[in-house]
Amino acid sequence: MGLAASAASLTGEKMQLKKNITAVMLVVFSILAVNSYLPAAYSHAQAQIAREIGETYNKEVSCLAENIYYEAGKESYEGKLAVAQVTMNRVNSGRFADTVCGVVKQKINGICQFSWYCMPVHSNKNKYDWEESVYVARKALEQAIFHAALEIGR
């Protein structure tokens, strides 16, 4: 097996692992959404895993929402969706970091991939634009989780 084939195999394994993790996240979030709490039957370890997944999800939403806000905060809903799509495409490409936060914060040859990340930004956000950015971020991540779960089910 040549170097290129080995790299392709590793990339495929990495993508499959990412899909498996995403599917687990979908199941946990479904349970949390339906019950709105951790069922008493969960063991301490299961509850801890669910909390950690929830924390990771919230961090990813926050990173994506900030990216949407600072790249397209004053643009239309569709403009915000476009930024979310670019970010998610990079996460799934295998050529960039493999998390939303990793993609948003990534520098290549010292250059930020999203310019706002390397520049000072205002901490006071427009409430409406920020809430719409968070909404788009949640929807984009939910779609990614849903599609990954569909792929695993095939």
Side-chain angles (χ1 to χ4, degrees), residues 26-39:
L26 176 64
V27 170
V28 171
F29 292 127
S30 297
I31 290 169
L32 293 174
V34 169
N35 296 311
S36 73
Y37 65 92
L38 291 173

Side-chain angles (χ1 to χ4, degrees), residues 2 4 8 25 29 34-35 45 58 68 72 112-113 115-116 118-119 141:
M25 288 174 63
F29 292 127
V34 169
N35 296 311
N58 288 336
I68 292 165
C112 286
Q113 297 303 292
S115 60
W116 71 267
C118 289
M119 300 183 331
L141 287 167

Side-chain angles (χ1 to χ4, degrees), residues 8-108:
S9 174
L10 286 175
T11 301
E13 290 173 15
K14 181 178 173 185
M15 293 301 290
Q16 186 59 45
L17 179 60
K18 190 186 311 184
K19 288 177 182 178
N20 290 345
I21 291 169
T22 304
V24 169
M25 288 174 63
L26 176 64
V27 170
V28 171
F29 292 127
S30 297
I31 290 169
L32 293 174
V34 169
N35 296 311
S36 73
Y37 65 92
L38 291 173
Y42 268 24
S43 72
H44 177 72
Q46 289 169 320
Q48 180 62 31
I49 290 168
R51 277 191 293 278
E52 288 173 10
I53 290 172
E55 289 170 9
T56 300
Y57 176 79
N58 288 336
K59 286 178 190 173
E60 294 288 279
V61 167
S62 180
C63 286
L64 186 54
E66 284 186 335
N67 201 39
I68 292 165
Y69 182 83
Y70 290 118
E71 287 287 324
K74 297 291 181 195
E75 293 187 27
S76 66
Y77 181 79
E78 290 78 13
K80 290 176 178 72
L81 284 174
V83 171
Q85 187 64 50
V86 166
T87 308
M88 297 308 296
N89 284 346
R90 288 182 179 197
V91 170
N92 294 320
S93 76
R95 296 183 305 148
F96 296 90
D98 60 357
T99 66
V100 171
C101 292
V103 165
V104 169
K105 298 174 182 179
Q106 187 171 18
K107 292 181 183 179
I108 297 178

